[in-house]
């Protein structure tokens, strides 16, 4: 009976419904974590970050790819919100503008607590999944946001940055961007300069994901070689499918496979089809290709919604994710492969990055987030307890699992058992139990810096202060009209 021609449309409709239903079933259990969304940029452009403006209501917000009903319909369970400031703020007011965008993400989460849960860890993402909220993370898009300062980088980490895109569409003084590969920018660092290598090491040390979207191929390769943990491309597609230099070439995809890294596919038409028009099926072609070359563990989604002017037919906004998942199922992706692309691959990479963090860095975060976890450590030095309990106990429930919990600090590393004279080892091991609070903090900082500092005179880049050579003075861009971003 299936050969009767008049039944074919009915079969097609039923099959389509089957895959769509399957997609929804899978996504109820494993919602999508998207690597890059520029809603914060739209909030700046449209409302100057005034979230109280009636038109900025995220429940009714129109003319954007993203609002709360669309996030719900799309089963979006995790989102790296892009914190972005244009390249022409480099060496000018990039840091201030970056802080303002971080602020708007924080305020957005505070204004809609029933929808967003601000998190800074893989455990936090899992918690948001359980609560049926959108895990909201901060990705800083462009190395110019750190103003060539490891101090700024560390401060951004404290404010929630969990990935840093090494460049946007401009070189930083320490990393080359993708326009080097088109001939529109001059190569300056041949990938990463020595200071750029320090940035990568510091991101590893802090537990911040390294994002290679927007960088040159030389920067991709140098970073993949140097990083001690897998990296991500938060919004990049496959060069072999669409020959845009913003996409990832196959030789780099093979490095992605070797390093267990992740490519989160960008939906921008011009990176999907290399023309102004594209459709959902062509996006799936990119996903298929990355899976074929780098493996299913290397695939993710980074739609670039609200950061691009044109998106594919069938993927008009964030509500359309289930349609893309249905297409992958139609192409014989297994449920495990689909779940990997939705969330598990990102969680795997994030956990690998988190596992690099030595206990001293965890201590820093723990002190800010959960000072009370230390209060029942009987052998803990009383003077240290004073510091810990006077720090601002920010809400940070997802941090309860941290290694710095006293239960996780081996007895041999407990501060009270460390010889006073032993400052040769890192982390807890060097903490002098007899030091007063302020002194202790200075000691920890000094030893962190010592890890980073090369011998005197060997390297012109100081570990904490910005290098004056990288900071030509320039006027503030305050008051300058906002321009639409480059892509
Ligand atoms: Zn971008």
């Amino acid at each position: 009976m299936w050969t009767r021609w008049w039944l074919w449309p009915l079969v097609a409709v039923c099959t389509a419904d089957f895959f769509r239903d399957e997609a929804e079933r899978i996504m109820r259990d494993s919602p999508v974590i998207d690597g890059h969304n520029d809603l914060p940029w739209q909030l700046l452009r449209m409302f100057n970050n005034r979230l109280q403006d009636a038109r900025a209501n995220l429940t009714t917000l129109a003319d954007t790819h993203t609002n709360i009903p669309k996030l719900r319909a799309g089963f979006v369970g995790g989102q790296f919100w892009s914190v972005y400031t244009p390249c022409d703020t480099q060496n000018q007011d990039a840091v201030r503008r970056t802080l303002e965008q971080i602020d708007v993400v924080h305020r957005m989460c505070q204004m809609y607590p029933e929808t967003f849960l601000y998190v800074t860890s893989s455990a936090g993402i899992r918690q948001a999944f359980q609560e049926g909220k959108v895990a909201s993370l901060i990705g800083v898009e462009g190395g110019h946001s750190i103003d060539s300062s490891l101090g700024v980088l560390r401060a951004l980490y404290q404010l929630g940055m969990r990935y840093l895109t090494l460049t946007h569409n401009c070189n930083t003084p320490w990393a080359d961007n993708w326009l080097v590969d088109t001939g529109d920018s001059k190569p300056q660092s041949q990938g990463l300069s020595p200071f750029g290598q320090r940035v990568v090491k510091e991101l590893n040390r802090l537990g911040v994901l390294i994002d290679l979207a927007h960088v040159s191929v030389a920067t991709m390769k140098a970073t993949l070689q140097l990083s001690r943990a897998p990296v991500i491309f938060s919004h990049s597609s496959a060069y072999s499918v669409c020959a845009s230099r913003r996409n990832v070439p196959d030789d780099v995809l093979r490095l992605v496979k070797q390093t267990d890294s992740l490519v989160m596919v960008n939906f921008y038409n011009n990176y999907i089809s290399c023309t102004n028009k594209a459709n959902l099926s062509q996006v799936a072609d990119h996903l298929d290709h990355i899976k074929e070359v780098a493996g299913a563990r290397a695939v993710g989604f980074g739609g670039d919604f609200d950061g691009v002017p044109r998106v594919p037919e069938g993927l008009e906004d964030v509500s359309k994710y289930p349609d893309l998942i249905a297409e992958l199922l139609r192409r014989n992706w297994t449920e495990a492969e689909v779940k990997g692309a939705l969330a598990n691959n990102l969680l795997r990479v994030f956990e690998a990055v988190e596992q690099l963090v030595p206990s001293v860095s965890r201590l820093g975060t723990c002190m800010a987030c959960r000072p009370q976890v230390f209060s029942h450590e009987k052998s803990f030095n009383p003077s240290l307890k004073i510091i810990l309990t006077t720090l601002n106990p920010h809400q940070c429930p997802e941090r309860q699992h941290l290694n710095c919990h006293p239960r996780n600090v081996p007895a041999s590393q407990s501060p009270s058992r460390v010889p006073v004279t032993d400052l040769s080892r890192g982390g807890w091991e060097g903490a002098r139990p007899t030091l007063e609070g302020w002194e202790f903090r200075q000691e920890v900082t000094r030893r962190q810096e010592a890890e980073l500092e090369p011998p005197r005179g060997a390297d012109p880049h100081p570990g904490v202060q910005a290098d004056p050579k990288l900071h030509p003075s320039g006027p503030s861009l305050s008051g300058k009209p906002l321009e639409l971003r480059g892509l």
Side-chain angles (χ1 to χ4, degrees), residues 72-392:
R72 293 293 185 199
F75 293 88
V76 178
Q79 184 64 66
F80 280 91
W81 299 109
S82 172
V83 160
Y84 161 76
T85 183
C87 273
D88 60 2
T89 64
Q90 175 154 224
N91 293 324
Q92 302 194 63
D93 54 0
V95 173
R96 175 178 66 80
R97 298 267 297 256
T98 301
L99 296 181
E100 288 169 352
Q101 292 310 97
I102 288 178
D103 170 69
V104 82
V105 174
H106 286 166
R107 285 189 291 119
M108 183 180 85
C109 295
Q110 287 159 7
M111 271 189 78
Y112 301 92
E114 69 290 346
T115 299
F116 301 117
L117 183 66
Y118 167 66
V119 302
T120 54
S121 66
S122 58
I125 297 174
R126 293 184 196 280
Q127 185 181 335
F129 281 7
Q130 281 181 0
E131 294 181 20
K133 295 180 180 174
V134 182
S136 294
L137 302 106
I138 290 171
V140 173
E141 186 181 22
H144 56 286
S145 284
I146 70 165
D147 213 7
S148 301
S149 163
L150 296 181
V152 172
L153 186 156
R154 285 189 287 267
L156 293 179
Y157 166 79
Q158 293 293 348
L159 293 173
M161 173 181 73
R162 286 301 178 270
Y163 77 59
L164 176 67
T165 317
L166 296 187
T167 72
H168 192 250
N169 297 340
C170 52
N171 290 345
T172 64
W174 45 269
D176 288 346
N177 87 103
W178 68 285
L179 293 172
V180 163
D181 297 329
T182 66
D184 293 318
S185 286
K186 284 186 181 164
Q188 288 176 294
S189 302
Q190 319 309 322
L192 291 170
S193 75
F195 185 80
Q197 293 169 17
R198 297 271 295 280
V199 169
V200 166
K201 288 177 185 172
E202 188 66 346
L203 291 167
N204 278 170
R205 193 184 70 86
L206 291 167
V208 176
L209 292 156
I210 296 167
D211 176 21
L212 298 181
H214 284 279
V215 306
S216 71
V217 170
T219 310
M220 294 176 193
K221 290 180 177 174
T223 309
L224 280 158
Q225 195 168 28
L226 181 62
S227 175
R228 292 187 290 125
V231 304
I232 63 167
F233 293 75
S234 71
H235 55 305
S236 298
S237 305
Y239 181 83
S240 284
V241 183
C242 161
S244 163
R245 294 290 182 181
R246 261 291 277 110
N247 289 338
V248 188
D250 282 356
D251 57 341
V252 174
L253 285 178
R254 284 187 276 275
L255 292 174
V256 165
K257 183 174 190 174
Q258 282 172 25
T259 55
D260 213 17
S261 294
L262 176 63
V263 179
M264 306 176 92
V265 167
N266 189 320
F267 300 166
Y268 178 44
N269 287 0
N270 297 58
Y271 301 156
I272 290 298
S273 65
C274 288
T275 71
N276 287 344
K277 289 195 171 177
N279 59 44
L280 180 148
S281 174
Q282 289 172 307
V283 174
D285 292 343
H286 283 262
L287 294 158
D288 270 344
H289 182 80
I290 294 168
K291 181 181 152 195
E292 186 185 323
V293 178
R297 287 164 65 87
V299 185
F301 306 103
D304 212 355
F305 282 116
D306 283 313
V308 294
R310 291 175 292 279
V311 285
E313 189 184 334
L315 279 172
E316 289 82 3
D317 57 54
V318 299
S319 73
K320 304 291 185 175
Y321 268 111
D323 293 328
L324 182 55
I325 298 307
E327 175 65 17
L328 297 183
L329 293 170
R330 198 173 290 117
R331 294 180 181 213
N332 294 321
W333 284 48
T334 67
E335 185 167 332
E337 288 169 346
V338 164
K339 284 184 171 176
L342 285 167
N344 291 342
N345 293 340
L346 185 281
L347 287 167
R348 182 196 78 240
V349 171
F350 202 178
E351 282 163 3
V353 169
E354 289 171 333
Q355 280 164 15
L356 283 184
V357 181
S359 57
V360 70
S361 298
R362 297 264 173 144
L363 169 65
T365 311
C366 244
M367 287 198 300
C369 291
R370 301 283 295 181
Q372 63 273 32
V373 299
F374 291 95
S375 59
H376 51 272
E377 171 68 7
K378 288 197 180 74
S379 61
F380 212 80
N381 184 287
S383 63
L384 298 187
K385 203 185 286 181
I386 291 169
I387 327 167
L388 298 170
T389 51
T390 51
L391 286 170
N392 183 19

Side-chain angles (χ1 to χ4, degrees), residues 52-74:
Q52 302 291 348
D53 188 316
R55 295 167 303 153
N57 185 329
L58 293 189
T59 308
T60 54
L61 182 65
D63 303 325
T64 52
H65 299 145
T66 312
N67 65 23
I68 288 174
K70 288 173 183 172
L71 287 165
R72 293 293 185 199

